[in-house]
Amino acid sequence: MSHQVSFSGQITPEQVQQIADQGFKTIINNRPDGEAVDQPTSAEIEAAAKAAGVAYKEISFAGNELNMQHVEDFADYFNQAEQPILMFCRTGNRSNGLYEAAKQRDMLDD
């Protein structure tokens, strides 16, 4: 696989600089705000990403609500995003599913 992509459970704004230090250039959030009371908001993580010099994109959806629009939005962004990319949601499974859905439809550039 030529893509440099990793999947993670929920990250915090405090972890973003460490993620940048590990070499990630882009963070993609697949978890909608408000799924858990202790969950940081997308805006908080986006601000931390901006401060760390990392690109940030939110393509969030509930676990069972993945649809073709999400896949298309993701593929469009992924294909122009700087890699390596870290995708996260609550556990990482949703992000992995989104990536696999786009890959299986041959929507991701090599």
Side-chain angles (χ1 to χ4, degrees):
M1 176 174 66
S2 60
H3 301 144
Q4 295 177 310
V5 61
S6 296
F7 307 99
S8 170
Q10 180 68 56
I11 65 170
T12 66
E14 296 77 22
Q15 293 172 312
V16 171
Q17 186 59 58
Q18 294 170 333
I19 291 165
D21 291 346
Q22 292 172 5
F24 288 99
K25 303 294 185 199
T26 302
I27 295 172
I28 299 176
N29 174 8
N30 301 127
R31 188 177 190 195
D33 285 348
E35 282 192 334
V37 294
D38 61 345
Q39 173 187 346
T41 66
S42 178
E44 292 169 333
I45 297 169
E46 183 175 17
K50 185 175 183 179
V54 176
Y56 179 86
K57 177 73 170 175
E58 179 183 356
I59 304 172
S60 60
F61 56 95
N64 59 350
E65 294 180 358
L66 177 62
N67 63 44
M68 200 58 198
Q69 188 63 56
H70 297 123
V71 176
E72 290 171 0
D73 290 349
F74 164 71
D76 288 345
Y77 184 77
F78 186 91
N79 287 332
Q80 58 85 31
E82 190 175 1
Q83 296 185 29
I85 296 171
L86 177 69
M87 297 175 63
F88 78 90
C89 56
R90 185 178 66 82
T91 65
N93 291 337
R94 191 177 333 183
S95 297
N96 192 16
L98 176 59
Y99 173 81
E100 289 298 326
K103 191 171 126 185
Q104 289 170 1
R105 289 167 179 78
D106 199 28
M107 298 171 76
L108 303 180
D109 298 341
D110 288 329

